[in-house]
Amino acid sequence: MDPEFGVGTAPRKREPWRTTLLLAYQSLGVVYGDLSISPLYVYKSTFAEDITHSEGNEEIYGALSFVFWTLTLIPLLKYVTIVLRADDNGEGGTFALYSLICRHANVSLLPNRQVADEELSTYRLERPPEAAGRSGIKAWLEKHKNLHTALLVVVMIGTCMVIGDGVLTPAISVFSAVSGLELSLSKDQHEYAVIPITCAILVFLFALQHYGTHRVGFLFAPIILAWLLCMSTIGLYNIIRWNPQVYTALNPSYMIRFLRKTKKSGWMSLGGILLCMTGSEAMFADLGHFSYSAIQLAFTSLVYPSLILGYMGQAAYLSQHHNLDASYQIGFYIAVPESVRWPVLVLAILASVVGSQAIISGTFSIISQSQSLSCFPRVKVVHTSDKVHGQIYIPEVNWILMVLCIAVTVGFRNTKHMGNASGLAVITVMLVTTCLMSLVIMLCWDRSPWLALAFFLFFGSIEALYFSASLIKFLGGAWLPILLALILLAVMFVWHHTTIKKYEYDMHNKVTLEWLLALGDKLGMVRVPGIGLVYTDLTSGVPANFSRFVTNLPAFHRVLVFVCVKSVTVPHVLPAERYLVGHVGPPGHRSYRCIVRYGYRDVHQDVDSFETELVESLATFIKLDALFRCSDAGGGEQRDSNYYERENALTVIGSNPLRRHMSLGYDESHSHDNASSGSDSVDGIELAAAPVVVKKQVRFAVAPPRSPGVDESVLEELHELCEAREAGTAFILGHSHVKTKPGSSLLKRLAVGVGYNFLRRNCRGPDVALRVPPASLLEVGMVYVL
């Protein structure tokens, strides 16, 4: 436990040292690819400004001093020492920090939240709930709804910049690696060779995404390991041969001399120096694939020393070579001995491909998380590996990234403009992490606000300095990530805002259970064989789209299930806690509610396994509910009344038969805005009777034992469920269209009426996101007037 920041953090399991070493080795290819290749373009971007490389070496020594202290303070001190400890059940990244904050303070804007979600085993709190009332910052955040929106916007900005980095990093990495050809070709030749070769490599890289990386992933770690060893060896060679005293540049005073001599140009050149931190965020974002100790070991023992030696070696060479040909510029390859230049070029290209692959996979991951939290339009997520968790591929995003990468390469055509654009994206993500981390220190770790403020001011001031240096280069390329971020932010905010408003519309227009029960007598309702799965975002009541369906076509299936598939603010939900099942009306009506919960990093099931587990969960619930009725005291009238009193009671149904099931009472008043205010009303009725074993198979058999606790009605209900399952399943989904109210503002009409409907028509439908087979799909039209 960290004595300064780690109070309240969960204890970490000590893993065998062999496992730690193996994970540290594997993390090289996944986590450190982007960070390891930054020496290819840092000095080249730094000295792209109007800085003359003088005989006194103040410029190169100052740049080296900035690089050393930047790598020491941000990746080593901030991320490895502090930020990596703020994991969310082992997961890291922007959404992990946001999830932690939302669990400790009622600031989430997600709809259909329930008190039952707080009973999840992964809903881990960093401090006791009784301590929550002592925080004035928490009360202030919860009181002002505008701060909830502002917090989400900050998270969205960080997400947009990560996606923007997914466009810029592959372009600058591959381009910088291929640009080593300029030392072997004439100026005219390399201008016509570097761009086509870079574009060809990028097309090849994005074309391979469909196949996943698990087939060639075992090569990533050896490539990065070889690159780090090669870079550090060349750096050590240059230090010994050209300037053994280059270590004196690590003195912070050289930074002040650098800024004094270069003035505004030196300040602007900081936008190139910050590129040495590119990829630092990946240490935190990829925490779920490895362990804290493995990432810490790999960085401190290999990556950090190799980077320092590499930068020092370049500085040592440049300190003795002041009259370089302008066509060569000041780059990585000029300091590579000519005898090994071609092998180093090939290795650098391979390392740049690995680094680009890491950021592309990270872009897919963060878009998938955004989609789970209703912050991004629906896209098709393909899981490329059944064995390796988290390896996904998004076709639409992949080809858009490829087109944008090629456009950046062809449009900018030099490292200077690419570095300006990439630097702004990188430093913005780090500023967002600093802001969120300050809240985690206060709200989750229960540390003093002054300590959080000190963290924010110390690291925020360093990052703000680099941010200002990048922002000043707006016309020099920094406009690109800002433009991409504005477009993505508009898309994400419009989608999220309209999704929330649609949920509020559904809540306002839902119908009561009494209306559903009385409707059968008025319309002559017909029950047809089979199971009808009505998908809705509501966790209580009958959705308006179903009422519209039955009033126009007075027939529905013999077994009716209202299914709500929702995401919760935890990375993973255990299979044993995934389903919440309850009755809608008396058992004779054969209507149920099933709430399926996923974490923001969970893999959604395919429709066959989902349908099978859903039916098995219903059968298990029927048996457990029978045990509950048998345990109730009183006669038949009291038993019937209990069903109406327990209308909103849901039972956790898991795949582990030895698990004790909890009946969690859910009151509709806890929904949405009041989700965390009524945790005292959880009805904890423990049903620890004989466990029920349900075999995993498509056709399941209902055992007919006649025990005193099971009456004929329960057996009849189970047999009807079996017959309905054999008859087939229909998936009933709403097909929505959104309109604005008369008199709405022009901005609202453009955002909701035009923007959202355009996104809805051009993104994947809910049937694709839920993996519904087209032959079993039934869509019900629904117009939302917002």
Side-chain angles (χ1 to χ4, degrees):
M1 181 175 293
D2 185 63
E4 186 69 18
F5 290 93
V7 175
T9 56
R12 305 177 187 274
K13 295 181 179 180
R14 296 184 62 88
E15 53 192 16
W17 63 270
R18 289 186 179 87
T19 303
T20 302
L21 284 177
L22 178 61
L23 290 175
Y25 168 74
Q26 293 174 342
S27 69
L28 293 176
V30 177
V31 178
Y32 296 109
D34 193 9
L35 184 61
S36 299
I37 59 177
S38 58
L40 289 173
Y41 45 79
V42 168
Y43 283 142
K44 199 169 186 177
S45 300
T46 301
F47 289 94
E49 305 299 331
D50 298 328
I51 300 178
T52 57
H53 184 35
S54 64
E55 296 286 343
N57 290 325
E58 289 89 350
E59 296 85 1
I60 189 63
Y61 279 11
L64 175 59
S65 186
F66 266 108
V67 168
F68 172 77
W69 287 107
T70 301
L71 283 173
T72 302
L73 293 177
I74 303 300
L76 182 61
L77 181 60
K78 176 187 170 182
Y79 280 95
V80 173
T81 306
I82 301 174
V83 175
L84 286 182
R85 297 179 181 272
D87 65 288
D88 182 12
N89 290 282
E91 299 289 344
T94 303
F95 279 104
L97 295 177
Y98 181 65
S99 174
L100 281 174
I101 295 170
C102 290
R103 294 211 299 270
H104 289 81
N106 185 23
V107 295
S108 175
L109 295 178
L110 287 178
N112 57 39
R113 290 174 290 154
Q114 298 173 274
V115 176
D117 297 338
E118 299 178 10
E119 302 296 325
L120 292 170
S121 58
T122 52
Y123 199 95
R124 177 172 58 86
L125 297 179
E126 301 289 343
R127 61 172 180 160
E130 57 270 12
R134 297 198 298 266
S135 175
I137 301 295
K138 174 177 178 292
W140 180 66
L141 285 174
E142 293 178 342
K143 180 180 178 181
H144 298 85
K145 300 298 180 183
N146 292 335
L147 295 178
H148 303 180
T149 304
L151 180 62
L152 182 63
V153 169
V154 169
V155 174
M156 287 183 178
I157 291 174
T159 302
C160 294
M161 286 301 181
V162 171
I163 298 173
D165 198 22
V167 173
L168 298 167
T169 294
I172 189 175
S173 299
V174 178
F175 180 85
S176 298
V178 176
S179 63
L181 293 172
E182 66 187 1
L183 297 177
S184 303
L185 302 174
S186 65
K187 181 178 180 180
D188 294 335
Q189 289 176 330
H190 84 75
E191 283 185 354
Y192 293 101
V194 173
I195 299 297
I197 293 175
T198 301
C199 293
I201 294 175
L202 289 174
V203 171
F204 177 74
L205 174 62
F206 283 100
L208 289 180
Q209 298 301 313
H210 174 72
Y211 300 99
T213 59
H214 58 283
R215 293 182 178 89
V216 294
F218 67 93
L219 295 175
F220 289 174
I223 290 174
I224 298 300
L225 177 61
W227 168 251
L228 289 172
L229 294 177
C230 172
M231 180 178 58
S232 57
T233 302
I234 294 174
L236 191 60
Y237 166 80
N238 286 326
I239 292 172
I240 296 173
R241 178 174 180 181
W242 297 110
N243 189 355
Q245 303 300 318
V246 72
Y247 67 89
T248 58
L250 305 183
N251 189 331
S253 64
Y254 280 96
M255 294 189 290
I256 301 175
R257 299 182 195 177
F258 175 80
L259 293 176
R260 282 179 178 175
K261 183 173 182 178
T262 56
K263 296 182 173 58
K264 183 180 178 181
S265 297
W267 169 55
M268 294 178 64
S269 70
L270 295 181
I273 291 176
L274 72 87
L275 293 175
C276 70
M277 301 183 291
T278 301
S280 299
E281 189 72 24
M283 287 190 289
F284 185 45
D286 293 326
L287 183 60
H289 298 289
F290 303 97
S291 65
Y292 169 76
S293 56
I295 292 179
Q296 185 184 48
L297 176 64
F299 183 80
T300 55
S301 63
L302 179 61
V303 178
Y304 178 76
S306 298
L307 289 173
I308 297 301
L309 285 175
Y311 285 115
M312 290 179 66
Q314 290 185 64
Y317 181 90
L318 295 174
S319 67
Q320 302 300 318
H321 297 79
H322 302 90
N323 299 317
L324 297 175
D325 193 321
S327 63
Y328 291 167
Q329 301 181 355
I330 301 176
F332 173 80
Y333 291 102
I334 195 66
V336 177
E338 189 174 356
S339 59
V340 296
R341 191 166 290 164
W342 281 103
V344 172
L345 174 65
V346 174
L347 186 58
I349 293 175
L350 292 176
S352 68
V353 169
V354 174
S356 302
Q357 174 62 52
I359 191 64
I360 293 171
S361 300
T363 303
F364 292 157
S365 178
I366 201 166
I367 288 178
S368 177
Q369 295 174 41
S370 303
Q371 180 181 249
S372 299
L373 298 179
S374 303
C375 293
F376 201 86
R378 290 182 295 267
V379 291
K380 183 179 181 181
V381 179
V382 179
H383 296 273
T384 58
S385 175
D386 296 331
K387 299 179 180 179
V388 182
H389 172 75
Q391 287 195 0
I392 60 176
Y393 164 72
I394 304 178
E396 302 97 322
V397 175
N398 181 68
W399 301 121
I400 292 174
L401 287 178
M402 186 191 74
V403 171
L404 291 177
C405 276
I406 294 175
V408 167
T409 304
V410 176
F412 285 157
R413 305 179 72 87
N414 61 66
T415 307
K416 174 182 176 180
H417 293 91
M418 293 183 191
N420 294 342
S422 180
L424 184 62
V426 169
I427 200 62
T428 304
V429 176
M430 292 185 174
L431 276 171
V432 169
T433 300
T434 299
C435 295
L436 296 178
M437 192 65 205
S438 301
L439 293 176
V440 168
I441 292 172
M442 285 187 296
L443 301 178
C444 306
W445 291 356
D446 197 23
R447 303 298 297 175
S448 169
W450 296 108
L451 183 62
L453 181 62
F455 175 88
F456 176 78
L457 291 178
F458 181 74
F459 293 107
S461 60
I462 298 173
E463 292 161 356
L465 176 65
Y466 285 120
F467 180 80
S468 63
S470 295
L471 196 60
I472 200 67
K473 301 178 182 179
F474 180 83
L475 298 179
W479 59 269
L480 180 59
I482 295 178
L483 178 62
L484 290 175
L486 289 176
I487 295 173
L488 288 169
L489 184 63
V491 169
M492 295 175 70
F493 190 80
V494 166
W495 185 268
H496 179 78
H497 174 77
T498 310
T499 301
I500 296 298
K501 294 301 180 183
K502 285 175 60 179
Y503 175 78
E504 293 175 352
Y505 182 91
D506 284 336
M507 288 289 294
H508 181 73
N509 291 277
K510 68 180 180 180
V511 297
T512 62
L513 174 66
E514 288 75 13
W515 179 90
L516 179 64
L517 296 177
L519 193 64
D521 299 332
K522 295 180 180 179
L523 299 180
M525 196 71 66
V526 178
R527 305 294 290 269
V528 298
I531 299 177
L533 303 182
V534 182
Y535 282 84
T536 175
D537 290 331
L538 300 178
T539 56
S540 64
V542 179
N545 62 348
F546 181 73
S547 65
R548 178 171 181 159
F549 170 73
V550 295
T551 51
N552 288 276
L553 182 64
F556 56 91
H557 295 83
R558 188 69 188 90
V559 175
L560 187 66
V561 185
F562 296 99
V563 180
C564 173
V565 180
K566 70 171 191 175
S567 295
V568 292
T569 55
V570 295
H572 304 286
V573 175
L574 297 178
E577 301 173 327
R578 191 172 307 283
Y579 295 92
L580 282 173
V581 185
H583 273 297
V584 177
H589 197 265
R590 302 298 188 259
S591 297
Y592 309 90
R593 183 177 312 283
C594 181
I595 299 174
V596 188
R597 302 176 292 184
Y598 289 98
Y600 56 82
R601 279 186 176 269
D602 274 335
V603 177
H604 286 222
Q605 300 160 285
D606 61 87
V607 66
D608 293 329
S609 62
F610 171 74
E611 182 181 347
T612 301
E613 288 194 8
L614 179 63
V615 175
E616 292 173 352
S617 299
L618 290 176
T620 305
F621 165 76
I622 293 170
K623 299 174 184 179
L624 290 174
D625 196 60
L627 294 177
F628 176 86
R629 282 185 289 163
C630 292
S631 64
D632 277 346
E637 295 182 359
Q638 183 176 355
R639 180 180 302 174
D640 292 338
S641 66
N642 284 339
Y643 276 103
Y644 289 95
E645 292 173 2
R646 298 179 64 243
E647 170 61 27
N648 289 324
L650 301 172
T651 303
V652 178
I653 303 296
S655 57
N656 184 356
L658 299 179
R659 178 178 176 82
R660 294 183 299 177
H661 301 278
M662 301 291 293
S663 177
L664 302 173
Y666 167 62
D667 184 24
E668 187 179 326
S669 62
H670 297 309
S671 174
H672 201 41
D673 289 334
N674 299 325
S676 65
S677 60
S679 59
D680 292 336
S681 60
V682 176
D683 180 20
I685 302 174
E686 196 170 294
L687 299 177
V692 181
V693 179
V694 182
K695 294 184 179 180
K696 294 283 182 170
Q697 54 185 12
V698 176
R699 294 186 178 183
F700 62 94
V702 178
R706 298 182 178 273
S707 61
V710 181
D711 54 23
E712 293 292 336
S713 62
V714 175
L715 295 177
E716 181 183 355
E717 188 175 359
L718 290 171
H719 280 292
E720 288 189 13
L721 179 62
C722 288
E723 294 174 357
R725 175 67 179 86
E726 295 296 333
T729 303
F731 299 81
I732 305 173
L733 276 71
H735 185 82
S736 63
H737 180 76
V738 178
K739 297 175 61 177
T740 55
K741 295 179 180 178
S744 299
S745 65
L746 177 62
L747 180 61
K748 184 176 182 180
R749 292 201 302 270
L750 290 175
V752 178
V754 178
Y756 178 82
N757 283 320
F758 174 80
L759 294 173
R760 180 188 56 81
R761 288 192 299 268
N762 291 277
C763 71
R764 301 281 182 170
D767 55 322
V768 177
L770 297 170
R771 297 176 171 84
V772 174
S776 304
L777 175 63
L778 179 60
E779 291 188 299
V780 181
M782 184 72 183
V783 178
Y784 290 86
V785 182
L786 306 179

